């Protein structure tokens, strides 16, 4: 019976207060305070959903309160500077400061354990430089692409309208316009808020074909051409998979399909729509290239690329084999790390499906370099890339530019409350609740988005100069040192066993990809011998 004691004591105190209230008027206030607790305990005893509530009336509610407060208590009181996940306090503070355009320097040395693998560092040069370039660009467009695009080396990764609220989308697009970089729309279509900001857009097309979707859910070429020729849209990105939930697909419940979401996605208001795990417009590597070629023609010659999280390694190589066999090219590839991202997903997918970014980037770089396609096909990557070193090391390993989603969410004011999927984001970013969105002032946050980009690129150029280079494209794998053990460190070229130019064509047996290269085939994503 001891477990009922807190509730019974509350009931007895309430009873005593009511009995003596006439002699002592102040007890009326005590009774008013105790009554809700007594009634809550009574409810707990007789409800049938929660065992703890029935067995420990009133007292068990403390656990629920602690569960709600735990993330905040841990983030603000318990964690060290580098313990937090998915992003630690030091990383978040760096973004906040750069977004506010204040100093982001740190005192008294590194907080990282530099003696433990897999710590990495940049090999600086005695002949360091001060690069004159302040806005490094990358030309995107394979040979024959009519409208190549000069992309910034740092851009906003894919986040759909619907996943993010209207104010957040408009602030991101406005910030992209102010800073001269691009904003990936995510697969939810091009919304009025993307357009309102005026920033350069990369239109992402997923398996749901939102914005170019026929009534039966298939691809509609006429709808695509109408939107793709908008001058604000600079490139097209075909999403094959994403790091948060590769191969998962999704369902958008009808009750979430508002008028504005329906408008952006080209679906009926209130109608449940399905994004299948794979595209219906193609099923083979060659078919993918033909689809890309069709999109390029329909858009008037704009660059068209693919985005994917690396799964079966032979499938990435199969796309390269298809490009070699057909002569067709994708203009760019965006590799998304399996660490997860802004999209909510089952924990199994977040934690254990899809290659982490570093391994995925190295594989795709090896595939393009090993087949001699890197000179035609640009390579980008995304996945927790928010610091100048993260960008520099990825570019040294083959990326031509880097995208981040959560980094720009922090610039908007995200506090990592982890309520993105509950529509209760406290900062008004990942919610459609207009009341919560009201707190996000577009004009103010757009400037912070621009500041974060500007100050991060500025820091990147300082890192590039320290390496003795004038442009990030000059960084090589030899500039990155990777600690293998506490006593041994190799250059990234050796640590990751990087493939040499056209080595997969000349001597694939000498590479770590020999088996996957044998399995890859241009006319099927299945491994050779099983198609």
């Amino acid at each position: 019976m001891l477990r009922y004691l807190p509730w019974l004591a509350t009931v007895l105190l309430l009873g005593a207060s009511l009995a003596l209230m006439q002699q002592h008027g102040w007890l009326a206030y005590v009774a008013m305070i105790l009554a809700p607790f007594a009634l809550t305990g009574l409810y707990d005893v007789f409800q049938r959903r929660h065992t703890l509530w029935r067995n420990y009336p009133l007292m068990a509610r403390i656990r629920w309160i602690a569960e709600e407060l735990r993330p905040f208590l841990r983030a603000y009181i318990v964690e060290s500077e580098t313990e937090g996940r998915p992003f630690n306090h030091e990383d978040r503070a760096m973004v906040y400061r750069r977004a506010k355009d204040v100093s982001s320097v740190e005192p008294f040395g590194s907080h990282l354990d530099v003696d433990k693998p897999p710590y990495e560092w940049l090999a600086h040069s005695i002949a360091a430089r001060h690069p004159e370039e302040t806005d490094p660009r990358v030309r995107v467009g394979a040979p024959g692409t009519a409208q190549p695009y000069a992309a910034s080396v740092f851009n906003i990764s894919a986040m759909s309208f619907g996943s993010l609220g209207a104010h957040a989308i408009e602030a991101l697009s406005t910030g992209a316009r102010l800073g001269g970089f691009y904003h990936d729309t995510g697969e939810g279509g091009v919304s009025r808020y993307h357009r309102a900001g005026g920033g350069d857009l990369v239109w992402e097309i997923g398996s749901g074909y939102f914005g170019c979707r026929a009534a039966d859910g298939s691809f509609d070429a006429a709808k695509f051409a109408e939107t793709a020729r908008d001058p604000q849209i600079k490139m097209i990105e075909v999403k094959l998979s994403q790091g948060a939930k590769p191969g998962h697909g999704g369902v958008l419940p009808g009750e979430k399909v508002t008028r504005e979401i329906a408008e952006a996605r080209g679906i009926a208001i209130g109608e449940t729509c399905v994004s299948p795990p794979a595209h219906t417009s193609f099923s083979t590597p060659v078919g993918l290239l033909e689809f890309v070629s069709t999109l390029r023609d329909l858009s008037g010659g704009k660059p068209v690329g693919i985005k994917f999280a690396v799964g079966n390694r032979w499938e990435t190589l199969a796309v390269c084999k298809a490009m070699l066999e057909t002569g067709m090219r994708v203009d760019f590839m965006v590799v998304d790390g399996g660490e997860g991202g802004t999209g909510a997903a089952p924990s199994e997918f977040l934690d254990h499906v899809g290659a982490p970014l570093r391994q995925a980037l190295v594989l795709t770089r090896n595939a393009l370099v090993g087949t001699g396609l890197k000179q035609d096909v640009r390579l980008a990557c995304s996945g927790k890339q928010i610091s100048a070193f993260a960008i520099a090391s990825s570019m040294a390993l083959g990326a031509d530019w880097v995208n981040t989603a959560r980094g720009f969410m922090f610039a908007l004011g995200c506090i990592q409350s982890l309520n993105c999927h509950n529509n209760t984001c406290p900062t008004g970013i990942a919610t459609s609740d207009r009341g919560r969105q009201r707190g996000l002032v577009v004009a103010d946050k757009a400037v912070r988005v621009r500041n974060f980009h500007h100050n991060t690129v500025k820091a990147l150029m300082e890192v590039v100069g320290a390496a003795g280079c004038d442009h990030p494209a000059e960084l090589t794998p030899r500039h990155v040192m990777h600690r293998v053990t506490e006593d041994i460190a190799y250059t990234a070229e050796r640590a990751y066993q990087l493939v040499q130019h056209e080595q997969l064509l000349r001597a694939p047996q000498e590479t770590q990809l020999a088996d996957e290269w044998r399995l890859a085939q241009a006319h099927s994503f299945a491994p050779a011998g099983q198609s």
Side-chain angles (χ1 to χ4, degrees):
M1 290 297 293
L2 287 176
R3 64 179 184 269
Y4 291 99
L5 189 58
W7 173 56
L8 292 175
T10 303
V11 172
L12 290 174
L13 286 172
L14 175 61
S17 298
L18 292 173
L20 299 173
M21 194 165 54
Q22 291 183 342
Q23 289 83 9
H24 304 283
W26 59 271
L27 287 174
Y29 297 103
V30 175
M32 291 173 62
I33 295 172
L34 293 175
F37 290 99
L39 292 173
T40 299
L42 182 65
Y43 169 79
D44 289 348
V45 170
F46 291 101
Q47 59 80 37
R48 294 176 176 272
R49 293 187 61 191
H50 302 290
T51 302
L52 285 177
W53 289 8
R54 285 172 66 87
N55 288 340
Y56 298 88
L58 200 59
M59 189 167 58
R61 300 238 176 199
I62 296 173
R63 176 179 178 273
W64 263 254
I65 296 172
E67 286 283 347
E68 288 294 319
L69 294 177
R70 180 178 177 274
F72 300 98
L73 295 174
R74 181 170 177 80
Y76 296 118
I77 298 175
V78 178
E79 289 174 354
S80 73
E81 294 294 297
T82 58
E83 284 182 336
R85 294 289 186 273
F87 289 85
N88 62 48
H89 180 268
E90 187 172 74
D91 288 339
R92 300 197 307 270
M94 177 190 67
V95 177
Y96 296 148
R97 290 168 185 164
R98 288 179 176 170
K100 293 175 183 178
D101 203 20
V102 299
S103 175
S104 61
V105 299
E106 293 282 346
F108 224 64
S110 175
H111 295 151
L112 302 179
D113 192 343
V114 300
D115 295 322
K116 297 289 180 65
Y119 176 74
E120 290 185 338
W121 68 92
L122 185 85
H124 68 281
S125 173
I126 293 176
R129 302 180 184 180
H130 182 74
E132 295 182 2
E133 180 67 75
T134 59
D135 184 23
R137 295 271 158 177
V138 179
R139 184 185 182 278
V140 187
T145 299
Q147 298 186 53
Y149 175 63
S152 171
V153 295
F154 189 47
N155 302 282
I156 303 173
S157 195
M159 293 180 282
S160 298
F161 171 59
S163 295
L164 266 57
H167 288 205
I169 292 292
E170 186 172 349
L172 289 170
S173 181
T174 305
R177 173 176 58 80
L178 295 174
F181 51 100
Y182 79 65
H183 178 194
D184 192 313
T185 65
E187 66 175 309
V190 183
S191 73
R192 63 176 70 178
Y193 301 104
H194 288 101
R195 291 190 168 99
D200 289 354
L201 298 177
V202 171
W203 181 16
E204 182 178 278
I205 298 174
S207 58
Y209 302 115
F210 296 128
C212 53
R213 179 185 177 99
D216 62 356
S218 62
F219 173 71
D220 188 311
K223 288 183 179 179
F224 171 81
E226 181 181 356
T227 301
R229 290 178 181 268
D230 183 338
Q232 193 177 347
I233 296 175
K234 303 301 182 182
M235 299 195 294
I236 315 297
E237 180 179 279
V238 180
K239 192 198 86 167
L240 306 180
S241 57
Q242 68 184 88
K245 45 184 175 181
H248 186 266
V251 178
L252 183 64
E255 59 268 21
K256 292 187 177 181
V257 182
T258 63
R259 177 177 56 83
E260 291 176 329
I261 289 177
E263 175 188 88
R265 301 196 175 202
I267 56 180
I269 299 172
E271 179 182 293
T272 296
C273 65
V274 176
S275 296
H279 281 260
T280 56
S281 295
F282 57 85
S283 59
T284 67
V286 170
L288 167 61
L289 297 182
E290 291 171 345
F291 184 63
V292 165
S293 181
T294 297
L295 297 185
R296 188 184 294 117
D297 292 340
L298 291 172
S299 69
K302 295 180 179 179
V304 181
I306 58 176
K307 168 188 168 180
F308 57 94
V310 170
N312 293 318
R313 305 205 303 175
W314 67 77
E315 293 178 348
T316 303
L317 295 170
V319 174
C320 293
K321 279 191 173 181
M323 285 192 277
L324 292 172
E325 180 177 311
T326 64
M328 294 185 285
R329 299 286 187 267
V330 297
D331 291 288
F332 61 93
M333 292 180 172
V334 178
V335 181
D336 206 15
E339 296 91 334
T342 55
S347 60
E348 292 84 357
F349 281 80
L350 289 175
D351 296 335
H352 299 293
V353 179
L357 177 59
R358 180 52 60 88
Q359 284 67 39
L361 175 60
V362 167
L363 170 74
T364 310
R365 176 263 177 210
N366 281 342
L368 291 175
V369 171
T371 55
L373 292 169
K374 185 67 169 62
Q375 59 190 1
D376 293 340
V377 180
R378 294 299 188 185
L379 177 59
C381 68
S382 55
K384 300 185 75 171
Q385 304 281 284
I386 63 172
S387 73
F389 174 74
I391 299 170
S393 59
S394 290
M395 296 186 75
L397 283 167
D400 294 296
W401 76 87
V402 168
N403 298 334
T404 184
R406 288 171 289 183
F408 282 102
M409 287 180 69
F410 289 135
L412 289 174
C414 169
I415 60 172
Q416 195 170 274
S417 70
L418 306 182
N419 282 301
C420 307
H421 59 304
N422 294 326
N423 204 33
T424 57
C425 173
T427 56
I429 298 171
T431 179
S432 59
D433 185 323
R434 292 186 180 276
R436 294 176 185 271
Q437 288 188 54
R438 179 183 176 278
L440 196 160
V441 179
V442 171
D444 174 64
K445 300 306 182 185
V447 172
R448 294 196 181 193
V449 167
R450 179 262 177 197
N451 288 343
F452 172 54
H453 175 273
H454 172 78
N455 289 321
T456 302
V457 173
K458 179 181 177 181
L460 170 64
M461 295 311 295
E462 291 174 350
V463 170
V464 168
C469 303
D470 291 314
H471 191 283
E474 298 174 19
L475 294 170
T476 71
R478 292 186 297 277
H479 285 108
V480 177
M481 297 299 298
H482 180 91
R483 186 175 293 287
V484 181
T485 70
E486 292 188 11
D487 302 314
I488 299 173
Y490 295 146
T491 63
E493 186 172 38
R494 181 179 179 184
Y496 293 111
Q497 303 177 47
L498 298 184
V499 171
Q500 302 303 309
H501 178 65
E502 294 188 350
Q503 191 174 6
L504 287 173
L505 304 181
R506 299 191 315 269
Q509 71 280 1
E510 296 177 3
T511 74
Q512 60 172 313
L513 297 176
D515 290 339
E516 286 86 353
W517 182 250
R518 177 179 51 80
L519 293 174
Q521 48 185 342
H523 294 276
S524 176
F525 284 113
Q530 296 184 26
S531 59

